[in-house]
Amino acid sequence: MTEMGGPVADFRARRLWVVDALRMRLAAPASTTLNQRLYDALRDWIQSGELAAGSLLPSSRQLAGELRIGRNSVVTAIERLVAEGFVETRPGAGAFVSEWGARGGVEIDDSPTAMPTLSRRGTRVLAFGATLAARHTAFAPGVPALDRFPRERWQRLLRRHQQRAPVDWFDYQTQGGVPALREALCDYLRLSRSVRCHPDQILITQGAQQGFELIARLLADAGDSVWLEEPGYGGAQACFASAGLELQPVEVDAHGVNLDRVPAGAASPALIYVTPSHQYPSGVTLSLARRTALLETAKRLGAWIIEDDYDSEFRYASAPLASLQGLVASAPVIYVGTFSKVLYPGLRLGYLVLPEALVEPFRRANARLHREGQYPVQAALADFIAEGHFARHVATMRDCYRQRQACLREALAPAVRQGLVLSEGQAGMHLVAELESHALESVLVSRARAQGILLSPLSAFYLESPGRPGLVLGYAGATAAEIAAAGAWLAGAWLSASGRAATRAGGAT
Ligand SMILES: Cc1ncc(COP(=O)(O)O)c(C=O)c1O
């Protein structure tokens, strides 16, 4: 009875579904009597937990009426359930599912069930550090200021488009996304990111992650190599691993990913994944010389570059850099964007900007593998952009994040005065703190955990251990007060764990 959507706590609450499901059970061809089939159905649901202990059954008169069967059949079935202990009657109150019945009518063996055996691929995916942690207020990397999202305006647009949605939008879609959204996005990307595109080249996806998956499935085969930045983004690492690709980490330095550091003899890649505007997590920007080298290498090797431009809107010192995709005409680049950072991750909307030749195969594959949907939400987003709310929100968030970063720097100042090194933070939603040893990294992470603070160790972003020790400190998703408190704690913890003493601001060490 799983199609009923979970345990049926009470017949009254879910009467229509239950009665429908019972009608189907009774109507199914069977050689048994009506009361036997009714008894079987109710006992199955009680034993499987669909009808929880304490659920009130309808009276035999009501049930007979709704099922349009004789009352005797109902009375016989329920009396048998009562006699066997699955149901108990309480005078004046009715018949209820018993505790014993809901436990399956047997004494339950409480020993833990064995962990199911996952595929090798599944096991590999889980190794990429995805935690399903409860929401942490300070330091979670990549979480935007959810408290500052203009909810009312967004709800108004959503309501408008839910009400006006043409009936066609209830059907399967294959257009690559709502045309108005693709047009608004195209306009935005051409102007602010110098992306070369027209609306047909845009494919709306359920976030960047789904875009990576499509690319991995359509442009690489199991066993093919993908080059990735080291350190790098765990979501991309997990996605490529789950597609059966061989991951080849490529060192990142102050100028971004350095292809000269690809080991001699490394397999030629089908894909090269990069975050050129703001490398995740180091924060460096890919230099122009490296961009040119990357484009040339990809062309020479016949590889596709995946340009993940996840948070380029948040630059504080200068205007965002032009995209890699727009640098030269017909670059072998698939540009990937997401609304997870500029709006909110639960929205699950992202997009690919595809070279012309890939538009049709990607649309068809996406419609086949994932289906398209949520057209009213996409239409609301198109208006959100076209009416200027998006640009305003980005500008407000840029200010907000600049302030939140300043707040984190201020809280960490006592440690910085004693030698803690922080990344430049000219962009993005997190800072990186360098640490001198892995031991210090793990001490701080575990002390923070004991305080209920989530600290992300930099070494976990490396495919090849040990990686550089450090901390990735998200500041966008927490309020100034939360950042100040967590930052002050971290400064103190770093001072004590690294054996330094605090000094007063401006004082000698
Ligand atoms: C580097 C990078 N790319 C992309 C994303 C966004 O992915 P999605 O659109 O699937 O939420 C994130 C989110 O954490 C990220 O850090």
Side-chain angles (χ1 to χ4, degrees):
M1 215 172 77
T2 43
E3 68 271 25
M4 290 174 54
V8 180
D10 191 316
F11 257 38
R12 275 178 308 193
R14 292 187 168 185
R15 158 161 291 149
L16 286 179
W17 290 3
V18 174
V19 168
D20 251 13
L22 277 176
R23 274 201 200 113
M24 276 190 274
R25 290 281 294 250
L26 298 186
S31 52
T32 48
T33 59
L34 257 185
N35 69 52
Q36 176 71 40
R37 274 178 276 155
L38 182 59
Y39 161 85
D40 286 343
L42 290 171
R43 202 187 70 171
D44 284 353
W45 296 344
I46 292 170
Q47 284 186 308
S48 65
E50 301 288 358
L51 287 173
S55 297
L56 172 65
L57 303 188
S59 71
S60 53
R61 190 191 317 276
Q62 282 170 331
L63 200 50
E66 297 200 38
L67 294 173
R68 293 191 211 97
I69 60 175
R71 190 166 164 215
N72 275 351
S73 299
V74 179
V75 170
T76 310
I78 290 183
E79 276 179 352
R80 191 167 155 202
L81 289 165
V82 172
E84 291 175 357
F86 289 101
V87 167
E88 56 200 12
T89 51
R90 294 177 207 154
F96 297 83
V97 173
S98 71
E99 287 285 343
W100 178 85
R103 284 204 310 269
V106 288
E107 288 316 314
I108 294 281
D109 173 8
D110 276 337
S111 57
T113 27
M115 180 65 185
T117 313
L118 296 177
S119 64
R120 280 195 300 280
R121 199 165 42 187
T123 310
R124 218 171 149 208
V125 169
L126 295 184
F128 288 96
T131 46
L132 298 177
R135 198 170 120 59
H136 288 265
T137 46
F139 300 149
V143 179
L146 304 175
D147 57 319
R148 303 288 299 273
F149 185 70
R151 284 176 73 146
E152 282 188 11
R153 182 162 299 125
W154 178 237
Q155 290 299 341
R156 260 204 311 278
L157 290 173
L158 277 180
R159 266 197 304 277
R160 183 199 292 172
H161 286 282
Q162 297 285 7
Q163 280 161 3
R164 290 186 192 164
V167 72
D168 278 5
W169 285 3
F170 287 55
D171 199 351
Y172 291 110
Q173 299 298 322
T174 55
Q175 299 177 63
V178 164
L181 176 58
R182 289 188 283 112
E183 277 155 29
L185 255 176
C186 193
D187 204 36
Y188 163 71
L189 292 171
R190 282 209 299 240
L191 275 174
S192 13
R193 309 292 307 115
S194 307
V195 170
R196 295 171 194 244
C197 63
H198 56 78
D200 278 353
Q201 285 174 264
I202 296 181
L203 174 69
I204 305 294
T205 59
Q206 286 168 41
Q209 196 69 18
Q210 195 179 68
F212 303 150
E213 275 209 74
L214 270 176
I215 295 170
R217 284 179 196 284
L218 295 188
L219 299 178
D221 285 306
D224 280 353
S225 172
V226 53
W227 293 359
L228 306 103
E229 298 162 328
E230 174 90 324
Y233 175 45
Q237 295 166 349
C239 168
F240 299 136
S242 79
L245 307 192
E246 291 303 321
L247 312 190
Q248 173 62 60
V250 186
E251 192 181 300
V252 167
D253 61 24
H255 307 286
V257 69
N258 183 357
L259 296 191
D260 293 342
R261 304 286 294 172
V262 174
S268 185
L271 305 171
I272 305 177
Y273 167 84
V274 284
T275 48
S277 307
H278 185 231
Q279 203 274 328
Y280 192 82
S282 74
V284 299
T285 303
L286 190 64
S287 69
L288 189 59
R290 293 269 175 90
R291 285 173 192 240
T292 315
L294 175 58
L295 288 168
E296 279 168 9
T297 306
K299 241 191 168 130
R300 182 167 48 80
L301 299 178
W304 289 101
I305 298 172
I306 304 171
E307 176 177 16
D308 178 5
D309 206 18
Y310 63 105
D311 75 350
S312 61
E313 287 81 4
F314 304 126
R315 277 202 92 80
Y316 312 117
S318 55
L321 284 186
S323 67
L324 180 67
Q325 190 264 14
L327 207 56
V328 293
S330 55
V333 176
I334 300 173
Y335 179 95
V336 184
T338 177
F339 289 100
S340 291
K341 313 293 157 181
V342 268
L343 300 181
Y344 60 96
L347 184 58
R348 302 314 306 141
L349 281 179
Y351 49 92
L352 300 180
V353 180
L354 295 157
E356 302 265 8
L358 293 180
V359 169
E360 173 67 9
F362 268 69
R363 260 198 210 179
R364 283 178 39 211
N366 186 43
R368 187 94 291 236
L369 291 174
H370 303 301
R371 307 296 198 196
E372 293 182 26
Q374 303 294 3
Y375 270 32
V377 180
Q378 293 187 27
L381 182 51
D383 277 1
F384 193 77
I385 299 173
E387 291 175 11
H389 307 306
F390 181 75
R392 269 193 296 280
H393 182 59
V394 169
T396 311
M397 289 304 95
R398 203 179 285 135
D399 279 350
C400 168
Y401 298 160
R402 190 188 283 117
Q403 284 164 23
R404 287 182 178 185
Q405 187 193 120
C407 182
L408 177 57
R409 284 186 185 280
E410 194 183 323
L412 292 176
V416 171
R417 283 196 295 277
Q418 290 295 325
L420 178 69
V421 176
L422 296 178
S423 56
E424 283 183 3
Q426 290 184 357
M429 302 158 77
H430 67 268
L431 290 175
V432 177
E434 290 177 19
L435 295 176
E436 56 236 32
S437 70
H438 291 97
L440 181 57
E441 185 189 75
S442 58
V443 164
L444 289 174
V445 170
S446 59
R447 284 195 193 165
R449 194 179 304 124
Q451 297 291 315
I453 295 172
L454 174 85
L455 275 185
S456 308
L458 177 62
S459 61
F461 291 75
Y462 285 76
L463 285 168
E464 279 173 1
S465 39
R468 266 172 40 220
L471 298 172
V472 179
L473 304 171
Y475 51 74
T479 63
E482 288 162 347
I483 296 168
W489 175 87
L490 179 58
W494 181 86
L495 284 166
S496 94
S498 60
R500 263 82 150 197
T503 55
R504 265 181 282 124
T509 56

